[in-house]
């Protein structure tokens, strides 16, 4: 190689190095934006704010978001039913052992903690999404004042505040001692000591009432209105013991609000789109199926375990089974009034109340809207059969019925794991009958026994309109309660003589009606606790029921500490700052 | 031994005074060589051992240049070299040798066998060094030992081969390998950086790389060695060089065939200790109910006092035994009928033997100015589980051309891997894997129903269990394919004597596809009638470009300099695309496409994702030594990463090291005993930025199943958005500072050697995403740099070579110890939990002052003997005689000194403590080899000591969660009032407390010693077949362990958090990993 070539090569090499160095020295080379993600600025507009609000609604039933258990279903079946005298966990012993621990009041086990944590995380994820909506709204209003009309600003803010209040209420119901988070909070290790959650919830609801329109924005039935917020306010007041306040609020809702009871009970829990979101719905989780989501995650996911098992048209999984105690509770006396009110021996029956056994029994027709019993038509799915039960020796012979769609409703999902147990049937979070019974309760405490009696009878009258029919198709799922086609029961609904004789009797009647009307809807445990009778009722229930379902003999006795669920251990630990847990565990746990 | 050589050309290893004189002379010679530009000449020769055996594959290099060649099978070489140049001969297992050419054209040498590899030429990062000149902690794998194993990935063969390196893998063919260098540096992403022929890659499988192509493996263990790769070197660097025939001419092409055929079977099966007889199992059920005071179910076995195998397990009314069913009513899938089995051996139904075949064809050769090495490999490895298989076909072409001062070449591998059967190690819970499913099945369940379809535990009391054979069968056509193209093209130019410039363009392309089928499962208790398929595609592209300038110079007769300057850039991107469809109209394998007409169009689902990253680097290194007595090396590297914050993305990684060869000092120079004594000290900083791209900003997104909602109540979902991750604009480099003190000894006249390294490394600014409280929502927590972790340890290797008659024997031992400790987490918390492996909570805690991935739970201290013991004990949920008793720890601080000194009388979450650690106290490998005449013997023993195992499977085979099968000795060794000193708690169906509280009862010592490899080889006499060796080989023949589970060798779980791979928080957990294989094989190697 000659000198000229050499020098050419030298220069070439030097250039190469220079080019290499210079090309990549510029900072652009190291700027690689995230792929396939949105940034906050993309969402800083009306569509973004509305979309963020939609996500806040989505957390109403968000079980699929928090992991493998069922701690965060919209109906609260684990926390409100299974821990009460309404329902067993069901299925068979070895399935969902965490729910078994909860059912048997062993709430401090690692197992139970996983479910508790799902509820905690689900509730606060709702809060986070509501707060994100408000923050983004504030940002858009500040940066682009004309982007969102004032009416929509109010609506969006009102709905988000309502949802924030609702999610905090869900947490408060469970744990009472909870931290309260608003859109300005940035420290997520706030203490729960000294927090007046109820006052905060009520304050948010009041603000929402002031901001929200009386009818849902865009006519979309899933949205909160000023009436939704007001009805919730009454619920919060009664739940927190402010009967006087609740009385005022709920009376206003009754007199001025848009709500009314459905014409008959078959339209309360239904998969028929025509009857969904009727006049009785205050807030429901708007389930949807076949909506393009490939796993059925938007269907009534939180209830998917609670269908009859493999011998049934649904296939799986036989959880949330009604107790014998509750089935017995639906017996009525000769006047059609609840036997439990008039006969101390109402809970004597131990054997399977199937169609043959009940052929001539006087029963509240709501029993067969609530409980699947052998031989009795199961909506329009044909008669419930023994083969539908997963393990009768464990969970007894009955199935849950309310949250199950009608065959002819077309609500079923085409996709998802065991798609037959996923449907677009909405899950009631708060319905008008519930509000009326809370009002009746407040009436009783205020001494307005006549008003309370009127409400109870109103509920009973509606209950007497229709009963489960032969269910050969959509047309005869519901028939009049004395229809000749009914061969499995003698349905009776009697009305109470008004006013109630005295406050004690009134209290019993209202509480009884509440259990009958709202059975298996996830309220019972919280009701018993509010009434201050949880320990007494549950221990009495366990004493008898353990003789019927042997697994209950392993239950820990209900004690005062059970009035509040323990805060999940992991969340206590995550609240630690400088070695000290900012969250304080509930007493006794 | 050097009789053929003029002694002045011995580069070192002088013994005594004479050698020192010789050494000085040599230095002078080298100096002259280094500064003169001499005439080139062709030199050839013969390299052999003392007894005349040719040394094949020895590297013959020309000192001060990059000219290299290797000897052919006959030990011959030919190379162009300056007439006054120096040839350096090196070969694994031999002492390196430097010989001056001195105008000769034939230079024959005899190489002396060496115990260790102290003198070999090794690649240490953009450059090559003599082992003796290395002052950092660098270990070489003995490729002879590595090649005696048959695993798919070379990484799995490093177990016990290199001190300071631990390896974990399962027996599933083609499964992932966890290689850790000197403990664990970070909460996540602890894979070392692999440099393959100069091209960096992060890979945790390396299945595409044919082990037979590998020439050498070096592990750079400390920062002083690794910091030249600064950016990604925090977890150590593994340098892999593939086989190259040096240019300079090794003569005509040599064709090689290396072939191995073997049979694998699991080292142990669950049928060794689970119940196989249905009526024995009934006895377990019966006692469990009776002890709980409950009626014994009769729906399977009938009368509990006179149990019999049922004629049918399904249909089953849940009350009484099924003895008669009208078999004519059978109709798949809606009306199934399953017979009862007297005892199904589920292990046997699923696991058995698998064939392993490995064929390598090679062609190598070269001329005066070119060299080539071409190889082809085909590997087929059957899993020991049904329908599970791995295949690889790979082609490698390495070439190099020289033209004047130019050198150009390339190293390219193209590889196709195929994985059949989707049932390897479990992804989530133990029961998700093929092993877990094996335990789930009771012996009374038959494999097939009366129609020949798969049966399962459909009846009450059998759980909701899936048939493991069905699961394997359904996935038999599940196929994963990886097409990999990996390599580089390079060019070098010798600007002037001693000054080289090199540029290397690396490329790495992966195309991956995965197809999976999910069957209907009408046979389950929770039946599913919906099937579906998924398809996933993934492409990854990475390029890297490195330019270096290397200058070597000597000043005076004693000052030796090497200077390296360089610049590198690399960028990568991936794109993934997944889709699926359900409710297929046909299960025909040829119809498995995502098309509307093939399934339920409404269930069709598609998504894609991607990521991009880039790194830019500048680096330099200076090596200096004074008369090979005092060494100094200094490195400086600066890296910028796109993954880190704009203001903090540049990191600086300095390192330096010193060496002192005491054997050159007067007081040792006379030693007859020590022939080499070198003290090394190094300190340096390396970095880690292995986090997902794009985490410096907050990300938002949405998903139909998570944020979309039917707010209108019309069964139509409206779009919703949420924050999906929290960004941190201040992300910076994670930094690993390591200090290493090393000692190299060669003694007993060179027959023995010892390498001892003591180190401490401390990783600061750990990149990880501490869990946020539930009140912060589910958005992925921000990644932060706060934590700190420390590893301290010792690496030791020791070797000895001896002779027996005309034979050689050799023993080498290497041992490693490290202690890992978390020093700081996020500044707020002093612990966080690892990923959940159990049904009952977090079994792993990462706590300040303890090692990463420590086991956590209550401390079990036996069983309650009687009611009095229950009363006397602290309040414990579900306490009863025969159940596990947990220790009430000191949790109350009565004197306010910050140290708890009292118990609180209640067993609850406060009483959880650290109950074990998956980290071994010591790991050791022992290689033994013997060559006598035509025979050679080789054995490797590996041991791990002091590591604990969390046996998740106890949930099932001890505590019978989900009504699973159980260990046979539960029948004889469960607690009874008469047998209170039992191994297992009382059989009690109501005892959900003993097993469902995480406790030390789940933890066992996982120490083991295993005969890893045993090989016997025979060199067939040349007169029969030339250049041919045959061997038989056995792997994993014997294991000594006290561990009661299946196999103490466990892979880390394949688990990712939002911020990366977190398997180090999930090690030593037995949740049904595929057992190791016992492989017997036969092999042939021949060259012609």
């Amino acid at each position: 190689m000659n000198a000229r070539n050499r020098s050419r090569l030298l220069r070439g090499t030097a250039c190469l190095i220079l080019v290499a160095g210079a090309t990549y020295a510029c900072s652009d080379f190291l700027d690689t934006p995230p792929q396939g993600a949105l940034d906050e600025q993309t969402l800083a507009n009306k569509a973004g704010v509305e979309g963020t609000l939609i996500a806040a609604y989505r957390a109403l039933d968000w079980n699929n978001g928090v992991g493998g258990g069922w701690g965060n279903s919209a109906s609260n079946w684990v926390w409100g039913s299974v821990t009460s005298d309404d329902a067993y966990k069901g299925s068979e012993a070895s399935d969902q052992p965490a729910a078994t621990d909860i059912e048997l009041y062993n709430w401090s086990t690692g197992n139970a903690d996983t479910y508790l944590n799902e509820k905690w995380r689900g509730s606060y994820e709702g809060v986070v999404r509501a707060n994100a909506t408000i923050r983004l709204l504030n940002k858009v209003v500040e940066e682009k004042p004309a982007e969102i009309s004032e009416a929509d600003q109010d609506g969006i803010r009102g709905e988000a505040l309502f949802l924030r209040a609702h999610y905090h209420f869900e947490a408060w119901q469970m744990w009472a001692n909870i931290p309260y988070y608003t859109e300005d909070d940035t420290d997520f290790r706030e203490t729960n000591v000294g927090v007046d959650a109820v006052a905060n919830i009520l304050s948010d609801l009041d603000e929402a009432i002031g901001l929200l329109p009386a009818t849902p924005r865009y006519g979309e039935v899933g949205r909160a209105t000023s009436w939704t917020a007001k009805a919730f306010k009454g619920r919060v007041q009664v739940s927190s013991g402010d009967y006087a306040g609740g009385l005022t609020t709920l009376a206003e809702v009754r007199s001025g609000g848009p709500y009314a009871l459905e014409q008959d009970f078959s339209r309360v829990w239904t998969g028929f789109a025509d009857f969904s979101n009727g006049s009785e719905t205050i807030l429901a989780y708007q389930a949807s199926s076949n909506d393009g989501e490939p796993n059925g995650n938007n269907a009534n996911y939180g209830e998917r375990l609670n269908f009859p098992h493999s011998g049934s048209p649904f296939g799986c999984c036989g959880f949330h089974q009604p107790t014998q105690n509750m089935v017995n509770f639906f017996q009525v006396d000769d006047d059609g009034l609840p036997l439990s009110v008039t006969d101390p021996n109402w809970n004597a029956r131990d054997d399977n109340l199937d169609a043959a056994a009940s052929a001539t029994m006087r029963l509240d027709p709501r029993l067969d809207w609530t409980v699947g019993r052998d031989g009795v038509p199961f909506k329009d799915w044909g008669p419930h059969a023994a083969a539908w039960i997963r393990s009768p020796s464990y969970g007894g012979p009955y199935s849950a019925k309310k949250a199950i769609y009608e065959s002819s409703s077309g609500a079923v999902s085409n996709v998802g794991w065991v798609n037959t147990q996923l449907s677009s049937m909405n899950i009631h979070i708060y319905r008008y009958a519930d509000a009326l019974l809370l009002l009746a309760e407040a009436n009783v405490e205020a001494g307005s026994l006549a008003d309370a009696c009127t409400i109870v009878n109103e509920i009973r009258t509606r209950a007497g309109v229709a009963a489960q029919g032969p269910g050969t198709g959509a047309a005869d799922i519901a028939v009049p309660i004395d229809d000749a086609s009914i061969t499995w029961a003698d349905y009776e609904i009697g009305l109470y003589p008004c006013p109630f004789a005295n406050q004690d009797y009134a209290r019993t009647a209202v509480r009884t009606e509440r259990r009958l009307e709202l059975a298996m809807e996830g309220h019972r445990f919280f009701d018993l606790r509010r009434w201050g009778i949880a320990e007494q009722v549950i221990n009495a229930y366990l004493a008898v029921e353990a003789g019927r379902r042997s697994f209950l003999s392993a239950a820990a006795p209900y004690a005062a500490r059970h009035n509040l669920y323990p805060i999940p251990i992991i969340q206590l630990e995550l609240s630690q700052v400088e070695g000290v847990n900012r969250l304080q565990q509930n007493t006794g746990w | 031994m050097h009789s053929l050589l003029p002694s002045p050309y011995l580069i070192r290893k002088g013994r005594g005074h004479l050698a020192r004189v010789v050494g000085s002379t040599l230095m002078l010679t080298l100096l002259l060589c280094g500064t003169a530009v001499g005439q080139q000449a062709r030199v050839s020769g013969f390299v052999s051992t003392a007894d005349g055996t040719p040394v094949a594959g020895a590297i013959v290099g020309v000192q001060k240049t990059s000219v290299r060649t290797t000897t052919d099978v006959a030990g011959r070489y030919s190379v162009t070299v300056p007439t006054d140049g120096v040839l350096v001969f090196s070969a694994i297992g031999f002492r390196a040798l430097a010989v001056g050419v001195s105008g000769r054209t034939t230079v024959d040498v005899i190489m002396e066998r060496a115990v260790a590899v102290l003198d070999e030429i090794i690649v240490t990062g953009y450059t090559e060094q003599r082992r003796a000149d290395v002052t950092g902690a660098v270990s070489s794998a003995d490729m002879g030992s590595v090649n005696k194993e048959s695993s798919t990935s070379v990484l799995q063969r490093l177990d016990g081969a290199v001190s300071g390196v631990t390896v974990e893998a399962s027996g599933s063919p083609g499964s992932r390998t966890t290689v850790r260098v000197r403990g664990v540096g970070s909460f996540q992403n602890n894979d070392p950086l692999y440099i393959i022929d100069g091209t960096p890659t992060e890979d945790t499988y390396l299945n595409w790389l044919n082990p037979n192509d590998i020439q050498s493996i070096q592990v750079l263990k400390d920062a002083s060695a690794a910091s030249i790769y600064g950016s990604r070197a925090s977890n150590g660097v593994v340098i892999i060089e593939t086989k190259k025939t040096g240019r300079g001419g090794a003569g005509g092409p040599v064709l090689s065939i290396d072939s191995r055929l073997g049979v694998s079977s699991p080292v142990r099966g669950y049928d060794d200790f689970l119940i196989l007889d249905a009526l024995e199992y009934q006895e377990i059920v019966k006692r469990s109910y009776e002890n709980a005071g409950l009626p014994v179910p009769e729906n399977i076995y009938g009368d509990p006092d006179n149990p019999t195998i049922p004629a049918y397990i399904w249909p089953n009314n849940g009350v009484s035994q099924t003895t008669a069913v009208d078999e004519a009513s059978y109709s798949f899938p809606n009306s199934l009928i399953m017979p009862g089995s007297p005892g199904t051996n589920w292990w046997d139904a699923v696991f058995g033997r698998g064939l392993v075949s490995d064929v390598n064809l090679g062609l190598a050769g070269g001329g005066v100015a070119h060299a080539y090495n071409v190889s082809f490999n085909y590997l087929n490895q059957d899993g020991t589980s049904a329908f599970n298989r791995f295949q690889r076909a790979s082609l490698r072409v390495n070439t190099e051309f020289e033209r004047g001062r130019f050198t150009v070449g390339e190293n390219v591998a193209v590889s196709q891997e195929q994985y059949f059967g989707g049932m390897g190690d479990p992804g989530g819970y133990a029961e998700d894997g093929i092993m877990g499913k094996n335990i789930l099945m009771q012996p009374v369940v038959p494999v097939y129903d009366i129609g020949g379809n798969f049966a399962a535990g459909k009846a009450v009391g059998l759980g909701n269990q899936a048939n493991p054979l069905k699961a394997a069968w359904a996935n038999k056509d599940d196929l994963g394919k990886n097409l990999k193209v990996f390599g580089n093209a390079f060019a070098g130019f010798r600007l002037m004597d001693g000054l080289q410039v090199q540029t290397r363009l690396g490329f790495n392309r992966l195309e991956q596809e995965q197809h999976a089928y999910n069957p209907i499962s009408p046979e389950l208790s929770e039946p599913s009638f919906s099937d579906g398929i998924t398809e996933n595609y993934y492409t990854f592209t990475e390029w890297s470009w490195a330019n270096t300038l290397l200058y070597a110079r000597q000043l005076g007769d004693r000052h030796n300099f090497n200077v390296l300057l360089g610049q590198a850039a690399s960028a990568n991107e991936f794109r993934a695309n997944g889709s699926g469809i359900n409710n297929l109209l046909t299960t025909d394998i040829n119809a498995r496409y995502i098309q509307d007409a093939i399934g339920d169009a409404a269930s069709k689902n598609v998504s894609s994702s991607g990521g991009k990253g880039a790194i830019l680097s500048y680096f330099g290194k200076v090596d200096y030594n004074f008369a090979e007595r005092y060494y100094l090396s200094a490195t400086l590297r600066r890296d910028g990463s796109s993954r880190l914050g704009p203001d903090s993305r540049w990191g600086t990684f300095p390192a330096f090291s010193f060496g002192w060869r005491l054997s050159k000092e007067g007081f040792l120079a006379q030693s007859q005993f020590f022939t080499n004594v070198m003290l090394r000290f190094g300190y340096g900083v390396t970095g880690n930025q292995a986090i997902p791209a794009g985490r410096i900003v907050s990300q938002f997104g949405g998903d139909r199943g998570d944020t979309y909602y039917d707010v209108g109540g019309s069964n139509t979902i409206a779009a919703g958005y949420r924050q999906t991750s929290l960004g941190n604009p201040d992300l910076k480099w994670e930094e690993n500072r390591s200090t290493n003190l090393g000692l190299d000894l060669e003694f007993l006249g060179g027959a023995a050697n010892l390498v001892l390294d003591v180190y401490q490394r401390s990783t600061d600014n750990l990149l990880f995403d501490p869990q946020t409280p539930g009140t912060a929502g589910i958005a992925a927590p921000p990644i932060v740099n706060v934590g700190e972790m420390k590893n301290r340890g010792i690496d030791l290797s020791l070797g000895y070579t001896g002779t027996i008659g005309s034979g050689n024997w050799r023993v080498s031992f290497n041992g490693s110890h490290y202690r890992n400790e978390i020093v700081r987490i996020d500044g707020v918390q002093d612990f966080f939990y690892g990923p959940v492996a159990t049904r009952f909570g977090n079994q792993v805690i990462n706590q300040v002052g303890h090692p990463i991935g420590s086991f956590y739970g209550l401390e079990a201290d036996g069983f309650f003997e009687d009611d009095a013991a229950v009363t006397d004990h602290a309040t414990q949920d579900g306490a009863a005689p025969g159940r596990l008793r947990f220790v009430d720890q000191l949790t109350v601080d009565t004197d306010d000194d910050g140290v708890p000194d009292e118990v609180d009388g209640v067993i609850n979450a406060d009483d959880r403590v650290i109950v074990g650690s998956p980290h071994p106290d010591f790991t050791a490998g022992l290689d033994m080899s013997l060559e006598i005449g035509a025979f050679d013997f080789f054995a490797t023993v590996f041991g791990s000591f002091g590591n604990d195992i969390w046996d998740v499977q106890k949930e099932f085979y001890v505590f019978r969660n989900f009504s699973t099968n159980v260990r046979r000795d539960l029948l004889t060794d469960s607690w009874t009032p008469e047998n209170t000193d039992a191994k297992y708690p009382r059989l009690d169906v109501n005892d959900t407390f003993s097993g469902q509280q995480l406790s030390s009862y789940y933890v066992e010592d996982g120490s083991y010693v295993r005969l890893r490899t045993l090989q016997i080889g025979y060199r067939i006499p040349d007169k029969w077949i030339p250049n041919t060796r045959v061997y038989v080989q056995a792997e994993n023949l014997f294991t000594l362990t006290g561990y009661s589970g299946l196999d103490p060798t466990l892979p880390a779980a394949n688990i990712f958090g939002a911020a990366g791979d977190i398997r180090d928080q999930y090690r030593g957990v037995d949740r049904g990993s595929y057992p190791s294989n016992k492989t017997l094989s036969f092999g042939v190697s021949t060259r012609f």
Side-chain angles (χ1 to χ4, degrees), chain B residues 171-355:
Chain B
S172 176
S175 64
R176 193 180 69 160
T177 314
T178 299
V179 175
R180 292 293 175 262
V181 179
R182 293 191 159 181
V184 178
S186 183
F187 292 130
Q188 56 187 32
N189 301 319
N190 284 305
D191 280 326
L193 177 69
Y194 298 98
I195 308 281
I196 301 172
D197 294 327
T199 301
T201 183
E202 284 154 289
D203 191 333
T204 188
Y205 289 83
L206 231 55
N207 284 331
W208 59 269
L209 182 65
N210 175 15
N212 200 58
D213 282 347
I214 297 174
Q215 173 74 41
S216 70
I217 298 176
Q218 320 292 339
V219 184
L220 312 186
K221 299 191 289 192
D222 78 331
S224 68
S227 68
I228 190 67
Y229 291 109
S231 55
R232 292 177 283 176
S234 185
N235 301 309
V237 178
V238 178
I239 296 184
I240 298 175
E241 290 286 308
T242 60
K243 288 176 184 164
K244 297 164 188 86
T245 309
R247 73 192 131 78
V254 173
L255 192 63
S256 61
I257 299 175
D258 296 280
S259 167
R260 177 154 50 198
L261 185 66
V263 178
S264 292
S265 54
V267 289
R268 193 184 183 194
Y270 280 134
D271 55 352
D272 250 18
F273 55 87
L274 295 190
I275 290 181
L276 301 178
D277 182 275
L279 290 178
E280 276 185 28
Y281 186 79
Q282 192 274 339
E283 181 66 21
I284 296 277
V285 176
K286 182 184 168 194
R287 288 196 218 162
S288 301
Y289 276 82
E290 284 177 351
N291 289 341
L294 298 175
V296 182
E298 301 181 6
N299 65 316
I300 302 290
Y301 305 94
D303 177 4
D305 296 323
N306 187 21
T308 50
I309 303 298
Y312 302 94
I313 58 164
W314 182 262
N316 184 299
N317 64 5
V319 178
S320 58
Q321 193 179 32
T322 310
T323 51
V325 174
D326 176 10
E327 293 201 358
S329 68
Y330 180 91
S331 156
F332 186 86
N334 294 313
S335 175
L336 303 182
I337 299 172
M338 301 179 201
S341 165
T344 304
N345 184 334
W346 284 100
W347 182 264
D348 222 30
V350 179
F351 281 84
R353 291 195 182 88
L355 216 58

Side-chain angles (χ1 to χ4, degrees), chain B residues 818-1043:
Chain B
Y818 69 87
R819 222 188 68 150
N820 174 274
E821 183 190 334
I822 297 169
V823 179
R824 187 169 60 238
I825 288 179
D826 63 356
V828 180
Q829 307 262 311
D830 63 4
F831 74 92
F832 68 99
Y833 293 118
V836 176
T838 74
R839 281 269 165 185
F840 313 118
N842 297 89
Q843 82 289 355
V844 157
I845 193 167
N846 303 295
Q847 188 169 2
V848 169
H850 295 273
I852 183 173
S854 295
F855 299 142
Y856 191 59
L858 297 168
E859 188 181 343
D861 72 340
F863 309 109
F864 289 107
E865 305 92 60
D866 46 30
D867 287 325
V870 173
T871 318
D872 291 348
H873 192 63
T875 309
Q876 176 181 326
D877 273 348
R883 295 183 180 178
L884 277 183
R885 183 180 61 207
F886 303 118
V887 174
D888 192 12
Q889 307 285 351
L890 301 176
T891 51
V892 183
D893 180 11
T894 54
D895 54 6
D896 262 349
D897 66 349
V899 182
D901 46 49
E902 280 286 341
V903 298
D904 62 359
V906 184
I907 304 295
N908 56 18
D910 292 346
D911 296 305
R912 291 173 299 169
V913 291
I914 288 179
V915 292
S917 160
H919 301 274
D921 293 330
F922 195 67
T923 52
L926 182 67
D927 281 357
M928 294 164 286
S929 64
L930 170 67
E931 278 178 40
I932 297 185
F935 285 95
D936 56 88
F937 304 88
F938 180 88
T940 299
V941 177
F942 178 78
S944 177
F945 307 92
N947 55 303
D948 293 317
I949 290 177
W950 185 291
D951 186 6
V952 177
Q953 304 293 38
K954 283 187 174 171
E955 286 179 8
F956 308 113
Y957 54 51
V958 173
F959 296 111
R960 214 169 73 87
N961 187 27
F962 296 157
S963 312
T964 59
N965 200 351
V966 292
R967 303 182 71 105
R968 210 175 299 143
D969 56 353
L970 251 66
L971 281 168
T972 52
D973 213 356
S974 290
W975 189 95
T976 62
E978 296 74 39
N979 177 23
T980 54
D981 189 27
K983 194 168 162 190
Y984 304 109
R986 188 181 204 207
L987 292 167
D988 175 355
V989 76
N990 274 346
D991 181 12
T992 55
F993 305 95
S994 295
Q996 298 190 14
Q997 294 281 22
L998 298 183
S999 75
S1000 57
Y1001 192 79
Y1002 281 98
V1003 179
E1004 284 188 29
D1005 183 358
S1007 302
Y1008 71 97
V1009 175
R1010 175 168 279 176
L1011 178 57
R1012 175 66 49 77
T1013 320
L1014 185 65
Q1015 195 188 68
I1016 302 172
Y1018 175 66
R1019 182 183 287 273
I1020 294 175
D1022 281 358
K1023 57 188 173 189
W1024 297 348
I1025 312 170
N1027 298 323
T1028 301
R1029 179 176 173 267
V1030 293
Y1031 60 89
V1032 289
Q1033 168 181 315
E1035 291 165 73
N1036 299 332
L1037 265 188
F1038 302 107
T1039 308
L1040 290 174
T1041 182
Y1043 178 57

Side-chain angles (χ1 to χ4, degrees), chain A residues 256-350:
Chain A
Y259 306 114
L261 294 176
E262 296 289 348
Q263 66 173 36
D264 75 63
F265 209 91
S266 73
R267 297 197 174 179
V268 176
W269 287 89
T270 178
F272 286 105
D274 288 351
F275 306 139
S276 295
N277 296 307
S279 58
E280 193 166 335
T281 302
I282 299 175
L283 184 73
Y285 167 66
Q286 303 290 327
S288 55
S289 60
N290 310 321
D291 54 11
E293 202 284 329
N295 300 307
N297 282 351
N298 298 321
N300 53 358
Y301 195 98
E303 303 307 305
R304 70 187 314 187
L305 293 190
N306 304 339
F307 285 67
H309 199 53
S310 46
S312 76
F314 311 101
C316 198
C317 298
F319 281 77
H320 197 210
Q321 287 184 266
T323 64
Q324 184 74 33
N325 175 301
M326 193 191 77
V327 169
N328 288 345
F329 200 76
F330 280 88
Q331 298 172 91
V332 296
D333 65 10
D334 292 348
D335 298 326
L337 290 175
L339 198 64
S340 69
V341 175
T342 55
D343 181 354
N345 290 323
W346 65 272
N347 191 23
R349 290 188 51 89
D350 281 351

